[in-house]
Amino acid sequence: MSEVEHQSITHLSKEQAYALDMCESGENIFLTGGAGSGKSYVIREFMKDKDDKQMPILASTGAAAVLLGGRTFHSFFGLGILEGGVHATFKRMQENKNLLKRLKKVEGVVIDEISMIPGDALMLAEAISQHARESTLPWGGLRVIAVGDFGQLPPVTKNGQKRDWCFLNEVWQKSGFQMCELHLNQRIKNNEFLNVLDDIRNGQMTARVHDFLNDRTKQHDEDHPGTRLFPRREQSEGYNQKKLAEINETELIVDSIYLGEQKYIDILGKSAPVPAQLKLKVGCRVLFLKNDLQKRWVNGTRGTLVHFEADHLVVRKDGGREVKVEKISFSLLDADANVKASVIQFPVNLAYATTIHKSQGATLDELWCDLGSLWEPGHAYVALSRLRDPSGLHIVRWHPRSFIIDPAVQKFYKR
């Protein structure tokens, strides 16, 4: 479930209202805050009266873009994979007439999950914006609202390379971001848990963190219904198939239907939240992957499959009613917001396990996780902050080395 589903949807909190006013101010804004603080809700309110052609939301990854129904930062700014390095990439960008035309037309951009955008990419995007708009103003006068939390998932790095946080690049200071940090957690009401999460986000392995983790460490109960979080995709997929095999029912196999150009279908196959083959059984646990337009479920809602037909499923939501679930389309857009490929499938997957990366933005009631050997900054914080309440937390093991925060991030937020 998204981070905003647990707050009142009828009004903004005082700090969210202030954040919305800042976003409306015309300045370049960095909207930040811990997991569950309502950043996405503020942006959704901001975008209500905006034309997404004039103020598009750009995702940091292809998977996020497919879920948003939006575009990636890299495709919108014509970055590609930065093949040949910064100078060769910029030369290609300068020769891209569609890119230059696109950047002249838009009023601004919202960059979601800014923590995953490398510094080199942000620098190139700012430089090409100036070039396209023939202006020496930061971003050529293009408005930028950056959203995210550097205490969560970092930019991808190649082996041995230093992490390229975008706030360390000189373009960050040049952009003149007005920082707006949300502090009030909309998901979690337990003060002890909030204090522990704050310590972890700030890289402080305090006595209360040790006691909290030790008190919730136990032997894995295979029969417990809680979701398992794994750091690697093959671990979560393996666990899901193992639990499905334990159900003595006929297996339903639903092939995903792909439409569009083959090269884009190949990209969509890696980015879409649904598998090429969805395997289910009556009685299996399922997780919804996308918000329903009719608001019957949201991304992260869990339930049990009770019936299936060729054209629909019936799922009993946890603590709720049975809902009819039909297939939907997940689309991949090009830089100009044209649909290039689509996949049609039921918006669910097995709910026994998922990866820490895929869980970002979701809310869970019960969680089992192994925090013994994580390697990325923010990994442990993202995992633990999925929960509404610590009573649903079950830790198989943990080690202080898994609770990583980059010193540069610590310094950034202290400053």
Side-chain angles (χ1 to χ4, degrees), residues 20-35:
L20 181 58
D21 284 345
M22 287 189 69
C23 290
E24 298 283 10
S25 69
E27 300 293 328
N28 288 344
I29 303 296
F30 171 44
L31 177 60
T32 190

Side-chain angles (χ1 to χ4, degrees), residues 89-97 99-100 128 131:
T89 301
F90 189 70
K91 187 176 180 182
R92 285 194 300 273
M93 294 163 79
Q94 286 177 302
E95 295 167 356
N96 185 335
K97 291 181 181 178
L99 169 61
L100 302 180
I128 197 62
H131 176 74

Side-chain angles (χ1 to χ4, degrees), residues 1-13 16 40-42 44-45 48 186 291 294-295 298:
M1 190 177 292
S2 71
E3 66 181 33
V4 300
E5 293 299 326
H6 307 293
Q7 68 178 79
S8 166
I9 59 172
T10 58
H11 66 278
L12 295 158
S13 68
Q16 287 176 323
S40 299
Y41 184 57
V42 171
R44 199 157 67 217
E45 289 295 306
K48 272 185 177 179
Q186 305 294 339
N291 294 348
Q294 299 178 44
K295 300 184 178 179
V298 294

